[in-house]
Amino acid sequence: MAISILSCLRIFTLVMFVLEPNRVLGSRHFGFISYGDNGTGMCASTVATHGYKCQEFEVKTDDGYILSVQRIPQGRVGGGGQMRQSVLLQHGVLVDGATWLLSPPEQSLAMMLADNGFDVWISNTRGTRYSRRHVTLDSKDSEYWNWSWDELIVHDLPSVIDFIFKQTGQKIHYVGHSMGTLIALASFSEGRETDKVKSAALLSPIAYLSHMTTALGEVAARAFVGEITTIFGLAEFNPKGGPVNKLLKFFCAQPGVNCYDLMTAITGKNCCLNSSTVEIFLNDEPQSTSTKNLVHLAQTVRDDVLSKYDYGSNYNLAHYGETKPPKYNLGNIPRDLPLFLSYGGQDALSDSKDVETLLDYLKFHDVDKLHVQYIKNYAHADFVMATNANDLVYNQIISFFRNYA
């Protein structure tokens, strides 16, 4: 039986979490809001139901976006002492922080960390369900969506990390999946936030994408680079919207693209997903991002380099002072920053050859500070939803963080 377009769209969202705006003067604003009591917010819907304490915060970036951040300060039975180590979890593209909360507590990284004595923070990037506000712009305005992952590096990530640092008075451990690894690596390469990060665990690390082994991904990358914003008039890429549905039909009609088994075609063959967890994801998780963000990811596929957004030679000259966008040099990541990288042999997005390219940039990293895990039968989604990720990956992350307390 052929898979429906809506199902394709939802699976497309699942597998794509790899994949100068208006400035508002003023300092970053940090606020606490209690959503748990009135039944709204991520805390009430996905955390408190399992018996965990959970707090909701708002963080304002210095370009005016208001981000939703959740905190699980302790496990169900407390523990960890008064100075619990802080951990920030950063999701990928087209999903939000609920990605870390889809599985049962004993299989969820967020809840496992809390139960093991960590102070857990969950970030939600601009444009996602709970982070759609701005001090002057409406999410219906095209200018609201004038950003790519460059802006997540410059504004979102430092705003959230600074907030946690001021709340706790201590450096954080960081966990990123897919695009959450990309913004971390690029940030560290420019010396951003390295004074506030103890260590980083990077799951399905995305930096180089030239060996992506998926026909649909290649078609999508070519389409996005080919000025798709002009063709479809999209500023917001809304996975649930009609224009994106039409776009998916266009992709699926291309030669060599089979949308019958879209998840495997894009992510690779995930070994260990639970059907009920995937169903929760498909019903709950499709989130918007900016089309410009997807164009930027597509440029990475096309150019086989990691660089800032390419506006074209003339606009690059005005924007950067040179005709080509500046590159992110991952060889500049501080060599003594503890890193844990975990990647899979079946991952069609974070392909092993591309991870090897990343590791080559890290070849001068301190040997005792670089930990690499390879799981032969894992693909992209396994790292956040596999039923055995708790044993294979998450327990390793917990031990890694404890080594660099």
Side-chain angles (χ1 to χ4, degrees), residues 35 56-59 66-70 122-124 130-131:
Y35 281 151
E56 298 269 3
F57 293 88
E58 289 181 345
V59 176
I66 300 173
L67 310 179
S68 172
V69 175
Q70 289 73 40
I122 301 173
S123 176
N124 299 270
Y130 299 114
S131 298

Side-chain angles (χ1 to χ4, degrees), residues 250-286:
F250 169 77
F251 289 160
C252 290
Q254 301 307 299
V257 177
N258 179 7
C259 287
Y260 180 84
D261 190 2
L262 193 58
M263 182 186 294
T264 297
I266 295 281
T267 66
K269 187 175 178 58
N270 295 283
C271 72
C272 309
L273 302 187
N274 181 297
S275 59
S276 61
T277 301
V278 173
E279 184 177 355
I280 293 171
F281 177 90
L282 296 178
N283 287 332
D284 187 58
E285 263 303 292

Side-chain angles (χ1 to χ4, degrees), residues 15 81 93 99 114 151 181 240 246 274 280 288 302 330 335 373 388:
V15 301
V93 70
T99 300
E151 280 69 40
T181 71
K240 298 177 182 178
K246 294 178 182 178
N274 181 297
I280 293 171
S288 291
R302 175 195 67 183
L330 301 189
R335 298 177 183 178
Q373 179 188 45
N388 60 356

